[in-house]
Amino acid sequence: MQFAIKRLKTIQTGERPSDRYKQMLFADAGNFARGCVFTLIACLATALQTDMSSVWAIFAALSVITAVRVSAIYYGARRADEADEAVAAAKRFYEVTGIAHVFLIGIWPMAIFIEGQTYVEAEFFSFATALCFMTGLVGRNYASRKLVVLQLAAAAIPMTVGLAWQGDFWHILFAVLFGVFCLTLLKIADGMRGMMEETFVIAEQNFRLAHVDGLTGLPNKGQMVRILDTAIRDRTPLALHFVDLDRFKRLNDTYGHSFGDRVLSLVADRMRASCDEDTIVSRFSGDEFVILQHIDGDLQEASRFADRMIAAVGHPIMIDGISVTAKCSVGTAFFPDDAQTTAELLQRADLALY
């Protein structure tokens, strides 16, 4: 339920609901681990074939950094929704070690290419594996253009040097084509990022429609029922306040529905300002509001809260030079004392109101 409260508050204030970049980096840790293991096996195969000390050293360094990075990503994946310093440090660690990781993968084929002896199979195997890894990192890190650029450069520069080292026309031509390939990967990352941002915007709009009242920005009836269901399932002691504005229909008939909507919006702001962080105000329908208040066995606190709410709403409201007073009535029911289900609790609070 705390997640639902946090999610609603961030949307109501216009904030981004979470660090999407952080979540993307830590997503799908299993596939990342498998890709790293495949790269290690390929590096080991070329080390066995060439028996080059430089390739063996690269394999040893890759083994260490792979173990460290996979462990860090699994840690971040478990805690990606948390906003603490430890996860922020894990994100920075991911970025720094990621550049070092792909740099090692880039110098792996370079070391084979610049060797005096020709190892055709090892050259092909190392270069192809590095290309696969670079393509995978674009699909994984597209949320950060800066990180994609740095990682592509870290791998591509030594690989290009290795190709150019051969000095013949075909290797130099391949180096040029390889540069074009890297630019294409960057464009693909840009397109993926734009598409995903658009998807997030649409998802947030749909979330608002399904969970948030369009006029007041408060949770709507459906969302409050879901929050209540969760609280009751968790056996959380609570007071449920059913609030109804007195003679609101007369105000609507006198000044018009547009005026009434502005009154509702201001009343909602007053209710929200009168609540602490753990109290949820929702607009149920029309001029009816439902408030969920956490209590710790002190039933009198609920009574005092209702009195404060009536006083806050009852202050005169000035709109376009017209002063009106939107008084309200409050009915309260308690869980688990008065009801055992969401429907019963709402019914008892509604009954108490009238």
Side-chain angles (χ1 to χ4, degrees):
M1 187 174 65
Q2 293 300 320
F3 170 78
I5 297 171
K6 180 180 178 182
R7 182 77 169 91
L8 282 165
K9 288 183 177 179
T10 55
I11 287 181
Q12 290 165 13
T13 56
E15 300 173 7
R16 296 167 76 91
S18 60
D19 188 341
R20 297 171 186 149
Y21 169 45
K22 181 172 63 182
Q23 290 183 329
M24 288 177 190
L25 295 186
F26 295 134
D28 203 8
N31 276 337
F32 176 79
R34 284 187 285 273
C36 289
V37 170
F38 170 79
T39 304
L40 273 179
I41 294 172
C43 188
L44 175 61
T46 57
L48 290 170
Q49 183 196 7
T50 63
D51 200 27
M52 293 169 51
S53 58
S54 57
V55 178
W56 279 111
I58 291 169
F59 170 73
L62 275 177
S63 299
V64 172
I65 200 168
T66 295
V68 171
R69 290 198 74 208
V70 170
S71 299
I73 289 173
Y74 271 105
Y75 168 82
R78 289 195 302 270
R79 305 180 64 181
D81 285 324
E82 300 177 17
D84 57 16
E85 294 182 1
V87 179
K91 186 176 81 170
R92 290 192 295 271
F93 183 81
Y94 175 93
E95 295 169 343
V96 173
T97 56
I99 295 171
H101 193 181
V102 296
F103 179 70
L104 283 171
I105 292 174
I107 65 173
W108 164 34
M110 183 191 76
I112 299 174
F113 272 108
I114 65 176
E115 177 68 16
Q117 186 176 350
T118 300
Y119 297 100
V120 177
E121 295 83 358
E123 289 175 358
F124 173 79
F125 202 24
S126 62
F127 208 93
T129 305
L131 284 179
C132 291
F133 197 89
M134 292 169 67
T135 304
L137 71 85
V138 167
R140 180 176 186 80
N141 301 329
Y142 66 89
S144 170
R145 191 177 198 275
K146 177 182 177 182
L147 185 57
V148 170
V149 170
L150 289 174
Q151 290 192 341
L152 283 177
I157 290 174
M159 292 168 70
T160 304
V161 170
L163 288 170
W165 189 273
Q166 302 297 308
D168 62 84
F169 171 77
W170 294 109
H171 279 90
I172 292 175
L173 176 61
F174 187 45
V176 173
L177 294 176
F178 175 58
V180 174
F181 172 77
C182 291
L183 292 176
T184 302
L185 286 180
L186 183 59
K187 292 291 292 182
I188 291 172
D190 291 340
M192 292 173 65
R193 186 170 55 257
M195 181 176 62
M196 187 55 65
E197 284 298 320
E198 183 179 351
T199 302
F200 273 123
V201 170
I202 294 173
E204 287 181 6
Q205 291 173 346
N206 291 338
F207 184 93
R208 275 187 166 275
L209 292 173
H211 298 80
V212 180
D213 175 61
L215 176 64
T216 63
L218 297 173
N220 59 19
K221 179 178 180 178
Q223 178 63 4
M224 176 54 84
V225 169
R226 284 187 286 269
I227 293 173
L228 276 172
D229 286 339
T230 303
I232 290 175
R233 190 164 54 248
D234 295 341
R235 308 301 296 177
T236 305
L238 58 89
L240 190 72
H241 306 278
F242 220 113
V243 183
D244 183 74
L245 300 186
D246 299 336
R247 295 182 293 277
F248 182 75
K249 184 178 183 303
R250 182 185 303 174
L251 185 150
N252 250 346
D253 293 340
T254 303
Y255 299 106
H257 290 282
S258 178
F259 188 93
D261 286 346
R262 294 171 68 182
V263 170
L264 286 173
S265 182
L266 289 171
V267 167
D269 290 340
R270 289 183 178 182
M271 289 183 178
R272 193 157 38 199
S274 301
C275 299
D276 58 31
E277 291 187 355
D278 291 331
T279 301
I280 307 173
V281 184
S282 69
R283 185 187 179 199
F284 235 51
S285 63
D287 60 343
E288 293 180 334
F289 297 83
V290 170
I291 303 174
L292 184 155
Q293 178 192 14
H294 293 274
I295 56 174
D296 296 320
D298 184 6
L299 302 187
Q300 291 303 313
E301 173 56 29
S303 178
R304 292 190 292 269
F305 173 84
D307 290 338
R308 290 197 305 271
M309 191 61 60
I310 291 172
V313 173
H315 290 303
I317 297 173
M318 183 68 70
I319 300 176
D320 295 337
I322 301 173
S323 178
V324 296
T325 301
K327 295 183 179 180
C328 69
S329 301
V330 180
T332 303
F334 298 96
F335 174 81
D337 296 354
D338 295 333
Q340 295 298 313
T341 67
T342 298
E344 290 177 355
L345 191 63
L346 288 168
Q347 184 183 39
R348 297 294 173 82
D350 192 27
L351 183 62
L353 171 69
Y354 289 102

